[in-house]
Amino acid sequence: MGRAPCCDKQGLKKGPWTPEEDEILVEYIKTNGHGSWRSLPKLAGLLRCGKSCRLRWTNYLRPDIKRGPFTLEEEKTIIQLHGMLGNRWAAIASQLPGRTDNEIKNFWNTHLKKRLVCMGLDPQTHCKSSTGSIAKSSASPSTRHMAQWESARLEAEARLSKESFVPSSSSLLSSSSSSPKNQDSDYFLRIWNSNIGESFRRSSKREEAMVVASQSSPISQTSTSIKCGSGVTIEVAVADPPEEVECKSCSRSAGGGDGVVVGGGGGGSSEASSSNEVEVAADEMEDLSEETSLRLLLDFPDPGSDEMGFFQGQMMMSNISLFPTLLNETSSY
DNA sequence: AAAGGTCCCAACCGCTCGATT
DNA sequence: AAATCGAGCGGTTGGGACCTT
């Protein structure tokens, strides 16, 4: 089906906005709200298309936009969220009040990405470019993110479910004294239930459809699922199914070939879990060491290793700041 | 001081999705 | 069910600002 252009481009202005145009747009939105972006330019008397007006407003003129350089805290947040979400700039921006997706995207592409590359890390996977398990190197970033999300979500839910039945001593304590693991799990669930999680679930559904389509295609990249020791099924897109991959949630190896092909996954917002065939026994989850469970949350390598040590931020409840080191290594921007 | 190169970011483009007709 | 619309998202780029030689 044809998609009509967003506007009739003839006679419409393009390029940088003038202060006069800005003023007209701001004044109009202040008094009338933006309403329909498509009709706004005409109503406001601007020779711009609605899309251009929307972008100008959301990326530049909105009163709540925060200007100025990114703080270290913001940088940390961006890196952490990018590790979880990939290039979902809008979702990342929603966690940084006053910052726009465009701004974050630019900042990532011009500063943070280079920084990771300089450190020998793949900016997409946040892993060392030349190393990593087969699963890490073979699975698409989004597939990896899906597995991470699903694993972490299930773990957090299992823990909360257990706590709701067995009031442990820790649950009687104040929140300030709850364990870091609890805080991290809760943190994860909050994100999962936020618009970030929603955004992720939506895109996961999309990916699932693509996986199914690719599987039905005679010439397609093989996508295989592998069940690990703790019962988590991992979807791995590979040219040739690996003999063995390491499960991110339990660090146990999982043999290839015996997995039943499943739809990709991630989309665990609800019933989707069953379609993913991801079954995790809560008691098995308890076997996970605290450290392991935290690592799986963000697919962290062993914190003891030099790999991704910089990635320890608020999510890890670590007091170690990696940024001074980072900043020393790279010139200011 | 001037020329050439690089960096940075505002804006555009094309695509997808959900809602509506 | 198909077509269309409106909105939003992520990738890309043009050109000004800044830096280096």
Side-chain angles (χ1 to χ4, degrees):
Chain A
M1 67 186 118
R3 171 80 174 89
C6 73
C7 54
D8 180 4
K9 306 259 165 130
Q10 286 187 350
L12 294 185
K13 196 178 165 195
K14 284 173 67 175
W17 280 63
T18 64
E20 291 75 26
E21 287 177 311
D22 283 347
E23 196 179 344
I24 291 171
L25 182 58
V26 169
E27 281 306 313
Y28 180 85
I29 293 178
K30 265 185 189 170
T31 53
N32 305 291
H34 63 72
S36 162
W37 286 113
R38 194 180 170 86
S39 55
L40 184 146
K42 211 170 196 175
L43 297 171
L46 285 164
L47 289 174
R48 296 274 181 174
C49 74
K51 197 172 180 177
S52 180
C53 293
R54 181 175 58 80
L55 269 153
R56 184 63 178 171
W57 173 258
T58 55
N59 288 337
Y60 200 82
L61 298 174
R62 243 172 46 200
D64 58 331
I65 284 191
K66 191 172 166 185
R67 300 250 147 238
F70 282 80
T71 66
L72 287 178
E73 207 55 44
E74 287 174 320
E75 289 183 28
K76 278 196 278 188
T77 305
I78 292 169
I79 293 173
Q80 288 165 354
L81 290 174
H82 187 272
M84 287 190 291
L85 301 166
N87 294 359
R88 294 191 175 93
W89 306 117
I92 294 171
S94 70
Q95 297 303 300
L96 290 165
R99 299 296 188 182
T100 69
D101 55 349
N102 205 36
E103 195 177 11
I104 292 169
K105 181 171 58 182
N106 283 333
F107 185 62
W108 175 268
N109 286 329
T110 56
H111 300 303
L112 298 179
K113 192 159 100 177
K114 287 177 189 170
R115 210 185 285 174
L116 262 64
V117 169
C118 281
M119 297 173 71
L121 300 171
D122 185 330
Q124 281 305 314
T125 63
H126 292 235
C127 295
K128 273 188 177 172
S129 331
S130 56
T131 61
S133 69
I134 294 171
K136 277 182 181 177
S137 58
S138 303
S140 69
S142 52
T143 301
R144 292 183 56 242
H145 289 138
M146 283 155 54
Q148 291 162 26
W149 271 103
E150 186 63 17
S151 301
R153 183 183 67 81
L154 287 166
E155 188 208 347
E157 285 181 348
R159 182 188 60 73
L160 289 179
S161 165
K162 180 192 158 217
E163 282 181 358
S164 69
F165 286 112
V166 185
S168 65
S169 56
S170 65
S171 65
L172 299 173
L173 299 174
S174 67
S175 61
S176 62
S177 60
S178 44
S179 72
K181 181 186 176 181
N182 288 355
Q183 291 173 14
D184 286 334
S185 298
D186 294 344
Y187 184 91
F188 176 84
L189 281 179
R190 280 202 304 275
I191 294 182
W192 179 259
N193 289 323
S194 73
N195 49 349
I196 287 186
E198 178 59 30
S199 151
F200 184 83
R201 292 191 290 274
R202 275 210 309 272
S203 62
S204 295
K205 281 182 193 166
R206 227 178 299 156
E207 178 123 352
E208 181 174 350
M210 289 170 67
V211 168
V212 169
S214 71
Q215 284 165 354
S216 62
S217 168
I219 307 172
S220 66
Q221 185 184 36
T222 302
S223 175
T224 186
S225 67
I226 298 162
K227 209 161 196 173
C228 73
S230 64
V232 177
T233 304
I234 314 165
E235 171 86 17
V236 184
V238 288
D240 296 304
E243 288 182 12
E244 193 174 67
V245 297
E246 187 182 39
C247 171
K248 286 183 252 315
S249 70
C250 67
S251 300
R252 294 176 199 170
S253 63
D258 59 346
V260 179
V261 172
V262 295
S269 67
S270 54
E271 327 59 63
S273 297
S274 59
S275 70
N276 295 343
E277 296 186 12
V278 178
E279 294 283 339
V280 179
D283 56 339
E284 281 216 61
M285 288 303 246
E286 280 188 55
D287 293 335
L288 295 167
S289 72
E290 195 162 290
E291 189 177 317
T292 303
S293 64
L294 281 175
R295 274 212 307 279
L296 74 85
L297 178 60
L298 293 177
D299 190 28
F300 282 145
D302 188 335
S305 70
D306 57 349
E307 184 182 9
M308 296 295 291
F310 78 95
F311 204 49
Q312 299 171 37
Q314 62 190 37
M315 300 280 278
M316 297 294 286
M317 300 301 163
S318 166
N319 291 328
I320 302 168
S321 171
L322 46 104
F323 283 85
T325 312
L326 253 174
L327 292 171
N328 288 341
E329 288 175 358
T330 57
S331 58
S332 61
Y333 39 85

